[in-house]
Amino acid sequence: MKATDLLKEHHQEVEELFERMSQADSDEIGALRDELVATLVSHTAIEEELFYPASREALGASPLILTSYEEHALVDVMLQKLLSTEPGDETFHARLGVLKELVQHHVEEEEKELFPQVESAMGAARLEELGSRLEARFGQVRESDVEALLARNVAKSMPAATAGRRARTAKPSARKAAAKRPPAKRASTQRAEPARGAQKGRRTAATGRKKTAATAPAKTGRDAPARKASRPAKTSRTGRKGGRASSASAR
C-alpha cells in the first residue's frame, strides 16, 4: 500500500472514532477515548519519524511540512488534556470538540496539498516501499506505552515555555538576594569615609603643631637672654676700660 493511502486510512479511522464518541454513553466513552489517543499518537509518530523526512527529501524545504509538525504539537497538547479529564466532567466534550477541529484542519491540509505533491515527487515504487515501513512502525508504536510517548512529545514541543516558567520562579529569589547585598554606591562611600577622616586628622595635627609653635614664645624669650649672656666679652672689655680709667685717675 502506498504511504499516502495508508495515512488516509488512519485519517478515516480517527474520524469514525470522533463520531462514535459524540454518540457514546458514559460506559464506553472512556474506552473510545483511549483508542483515539493510541491511534493519533501512533499516526503522528510514524509521520514525524518516517513520512515527513522522506517528504522533505523529495520536495526540499516545504512550509507545509513545517506547519504539520506544529499542528501535531497542538494535537498532542489537546490529547493530554483530554486524558486528564474525566468523561463526566463538563469540559470533556468541549476539549474533544477542539481536538476534532484541529485534527480535521490538519487532515484537510495534508490530503489536499501535501499528499499530491509527495505522490508527484516520489513515484509509485518509492511510495509503496515507504508505505510498508510506515505500517510496520505503526504496529510497533501501538503496542508501546503511547501515554508515555505522548507526555514526552508534549514536553519536547514546549521547552521555551518551561524555561520561561523557571525564570519567573527564580526572579523573587534573585530579588531577595539583591536586597541583601549592599548597593555599590553605599560601599564606595563607606570606604571613602576613613580616607576623609585620615585627611582631617592630618590637618588637625598640622594645625596643632602651628598653634603650639605660635603659643610657645616664652621658650624663645628664655633662649634670647641666654644667648646674650653667653657674650660677656663686650661687657668685660667695657669693664676693663672703666678699670683702666679709674686707675689712671688714681695715679
Side-chain angles (χ1 to χ4, degrees), residues 16-130:
E16 290 174 0
L17 283 169
F18 277 124
E19 184 64 26
R20 290 171 62 188
M21 289 181 72
S22 66
Q23 300 174 3
D25 56 30
S26 57
D27 294 333
E28 56 182 356
I29 197 169
L32 290 173
R33 176 197 57 191
D34 294 343
E35 186 178 351
L36 175 68
V37 170
T39 302
L40 277 174
V41 171
S42 302
H43 174 78
T44 58
I46 64 172
E47 283 191 328
E48 292 185 4
E49 291 178 17
L50 301 171
F51 182 71
Y52 290 160
S55 299
R56 188 163 187 170
E57 183 180 347
L59 299 175
S62 170
L64 288 172
I65 298 174
L66 295 176
T67 300
S68 294
Y69 278 110
E70 296 303 319
E71 289 174 348
H72 278 187
L74 294 176
V75 168
D76 286 340
V77 170
M78 289 309 304
L79 280 173
Q80 195 171 57
K81 293 181 76 172
L82 194 67
L83 275 174
S84 65
T85 309
E86 292 296 328
D89 192 285
E90 61 181 3
T91 62
F92 182 87
H93 283 282
R95 292 176 175 179
L96 181 65
V98 172
L99 175 63
K100 182 179 179 180
E101 289 180 3
L102 286 172
V103 171
Q104 286 178 336
H105 174 76
H106 175 72
V107 166
E108 185 177 359
E109 282 189 343
E110 280 192 338
E111 293 188 355
K112 290 185 177 180
E113 299 181 48
L114 181 60
F115 287 0
Q117 293 181 22
V118 171
E119 289 171 348
S120 177
M122 283 190 184
R126 178 77 176 97
L127 286 169
E128 288 286 344
E129 185 270 334
L130 181 59

Side-chain angles (χ1 to χ4, degrees), residues 223-235:
D223 289 343
R227 286 196 296 271
K228 289 181 181 180
S230 65
R231 293 187 296 180
K234 187 174 180 181
T235 307

Side-chain angles (χ1 to χ4, degrees), residues 113-183:
E113 299 181 48
L114 181 60
F115 287 0
Q117 293 181 22
V118 171
E119 289 171 348
S120 177
M122 283 190 184
R126 178 77 176 97
L127 286 169
E128 288 286 344
E129 185 270 334
L130 181 59
S132 298
R133 293 171 59 199
L134 290 174
E135 188 172 13
R137 180 58 180 152
F138 182 81
Q140 292 173 354
V141 179
R142 279 293 299 260
E143 295 300 321
S144 67
D145 188 348
V146 292
E147 291 189 17
L149 176 59
L150 175 63
R152 289 195 298 270
N153 290 343
V154 172
K156 183 175 65 176
S157 68
M158 297 191 298
T162 304
R165 285 194 297 271
R166 288 176 181 170
R168 288 192 295 272
T169 303
K171 280 183 179 179
S173 300
R175 285 195 294 267
K176 289 179 181 178
K180 291 180 180 179
R181 292 194 299 269

